[in-house]
Amino acid sequence: PLEIEGKFKNKLISLIKGLGPIQKELSLPQLLTLLQIAVNPGLSVNDLAEKLGVPQQTASRHVSGLLGRYQGAPAGSDLAERSTLDPLIVQEINQNDPRSRALFVSEQGDVFLKKLVSQIEL
């Protein structure tokens, strides 16, 4: 069997230490959604879905969670636990297309991401 050693193993350990604590707040798909919005501010849900490689409906569900909309979340699910947190993103009317919404990281989302990055020392 392959044994991972050295710097690569240390990087993996850093990822575990940095990402482990947030799993109570965000699922991996929600985190990836938040990261895409952070590096591509102003994305529409359709553009986000394309970047994530998921159907538009799936991207919309992740966006709803990050906006703080948890209607129908099963009791005990990650979404139900996160319902007490502030929204990590905001949406505004898209300047180029008033029919769509542009997505941006909120102040709380910025604080969250900065804390996350500070915990991961790669």
Side-chain angles (χ1 to χ4, degrees):
L2 177 67
E3 188 169 324
I4 297 173
E5 298 179 7
K7 288 183 181 181
F8 184 63
K9 183 173 183 176
N10 291 337
K11 287 182 179 186
L12 293 176
I13 290 168
S14 291
L15 277 173
I16 292 168
K17 287 180 180 176
L19 295 175
I22 70 159
Q23 66 184 346
K24 291 181 182 176
E25 297 177 41
L26 288 179
S27 66
L28 180 58
Q30 285 178 320
L31 176 60
L32 294 173
T33 300
L34 179 61
L35 293 172
Q36 280 293 344
I37 294 167
V39 298
N40 299 290
L43 279 177
S44 69
V45 173
N46 288 335
D47 292 337
L48 176 64
E50 187 176 311
K51 288 196 175 291
L52 293 172
V54 299
Q56 185 272 336
Q57 183 178 8
T58 301
S60 290
R61 192 169 50 248
H62 300 324
V63 165
S64 291
L66 294 171
L67 286 167
R69 298 179 185 156
Y70 303 100
Q71 296 89 0
S77 74
D78 289 344
L79 293 178
E81 288 180 23
R82 244 191 52 67
S83 65
T84 59
L85 298 179
D86 293 322
L88 299 178
I89 63 171
V90 294
Q91 63 180 353
E92 299 175 2
I93 294 174
N94 190 325
Q95 299 295 331
N96 299 326
D97 181 2
R99 298 169 297 166
S100 72
R101 302 290 180 258
L103 302 168
F104 300 91
V105 173
S106 69
E107 288 183 34
Q108 296 86 357
D110 186 59
V111 169
F112 177 86
L113 288 171
K114 286 178 179 170
K115 181 180 176 187
L116 174 63
V117 169
S118 73
Q119 293 174 349
I120 300 174
E121 298 175 19
L122 299 176

